[in-house]
Amino acid sequence: MSRAFIREAEPTEPRCPGCDAPGEQVGPATLKAHLPLADSAALGERAFYCVASGCRTAYFNGWGVSVPADRMTATAYPKDPAGPLCPCFGVTVEEVLADARAGHKERVKDLMERSRGPEARCVERCPDGQPCLPRVLRLFRESFQTP
Ligand SMILES: [Zn+2]
């Protein structure tokens, strides 16, 4: 199936009703892991997650259903700036920044190893259903200082 066909079939991507940003598309596995059953059921099979930290909306779909972030069963960065950057391994922004500024690569290297194994369950554990490693690496690289 070509990309052009997909675009024709779904002409408009819904935008977050709270902040008008486009969301990350998520499936039922992600929704069920982060919301009470009634909320994930109301959103259906295809919903979107708003990653904006200042926005109170967490999930929404193309039919006007939205669920606020305070109904989520677990928090994560960047919705909660103090929440885990990587819910699979519990790594926080603070830890990654501290390592980067001190020039310590051990934790990130360890994470790269472990992210290939069965502990990495990003589809369920990350609220946007996306792999958490690229987020960790981006933050680490941006702040890395040679000691
Ligand atoms: Zn939003």
Side-chain angles (χ1 to χ4, degrees):
M1 196 191 293
S2 79
R3 184 142 185 100
F5 180 79
I6 295 171
R7 283 191 183 276
E8 258 176 47
E10 298 184 68
T12 50
E13 292 273 284
R15 294 193 159 245
C16 173
C19 67
D20 206 38
E24 284 285 351
Q25 191 179 328
V26 296
T30 306
L31 294 172
K32 281 187 189 120
H34 292 276
L35 293 173
L37 199 59
D39 286 323
S40 64
L43 285 162
E45 294 287 297
R46 187 172 174 272
F48 297 82
Y49 177 66
C50 175
V51 296
S53 58
C55 179
R56 289 189 60 247
T57 301
Y59 294 97
F60 56 95
N61 67 14
W63 292 273
V65 178
S66 68
V67 177
D70 55 21
R71 287 236 279 280
M72 290 171 72
T73 49
T75 67
Y77 177 89
K79 204 78 179 166
D80 173 5
L85 187 59
C86 174
C88 301
F89 305 106
V91 177
T92 65
V93 177
E94 238 169 88
E95 287 171 329
V96 173
L97 287 182
D99 282 353
R101 288 178 187 142
H104 293 160
K105 296 180 181 170
E106 293 76 10
R107 194 198 315 263
V108 168
K109 277 187 179 163
D110 180 52
L111 211 62
M112 286 170 79
E113 279 299 313
R114 289 164 71 195
S115 69
R116 296 191 201 109
E119 286 172 281
R121 289 165 51 225
C122 300
V123 170
E124 289 153 48
R125 307 208 60 183
C126 293
D128 59 1
Q130 301 295 310
C132 41
L133 191 66
R135 244 188 305 247
V136 173
L137 292 178
R138 189 166 58 235
L139 187 70
F140 186 76
R141 289 200 187 108
E142 278 169 8
S143 317
F144 189 77
Q145 283 165 21
T146 315

